[in-house]
Amino acid sequence: MDVEFVLSAPDLASRPPRVLPEFAFVGRSNCGKSSLINLFLDRRGMAKISGKPGKTRLLNYFLVDNTYYLVDLPGYGFAKVSKTLRAAWTRLMKAYLFAGDRPLAVIQLLDARHRPSAEDRLMTGWLHKAKLPFAVAVTKVDKVGRNKRGAHYQEIVDTLGLTPETPFFPTSAVTREGAGDLKAWIAAVLAT
Ligand code: GDP
């Protein structure tokens, strides 16, 4: 896999001039987004692990195989951030998800250990509303005992109101599972 960091965009006008399909990864701060992106790209340290929650509000663009962009969206987790920062994040996310001017699909990340938060549900609501192709990637599944995983997955599906059509990928940056399934889904979306 050929990967190239392109740029960090603070707003829509700063997105790369070259238009390609975008696959955006989004989730709560600390949900394991950087770790999953690094696993996916097979590059250690490509996405920065554990920045301060909510601090950066940048769309980070990576060009993959000269074919599509993987976009690392700013993590959310509103408990720790100011109202101003929260409003800025909401504005940027809605502008990005509803722009409609570029081909876009989204991978929403959920930590396998936790019941989805209000912000997680808000995000899923926007994805449904924007009618974007989207998949759910459950992260850190190695942290949940095998016999408990099914119940955790069901809770995520129920809390977010996911339909059976929503692709649902259990992943772990530790066991390295799930990245291949995500790649296959992206290939399928690109082929449509
Ligand atoms: P981000 O804030 O969403 O980018 O999350 P990070 O990728 O920085 O991960 C947050 C924390 O969870 C770090 O301490 C990671 O080492 C840990 N972590 C991330 N993915 C996994 C995983 O698949 N399994 C385990 N056990 N820990 C993980």
Side-chain angles (χ1 to χ4, degrees), residues 131-144:
K131 295 194 163 53
L132 296 170
F134 87 98
V136 162
V138 182
T139 58
K140 311 189 192 182
V141 298
D142 61 281
K143 292 231 186 195
V144 178

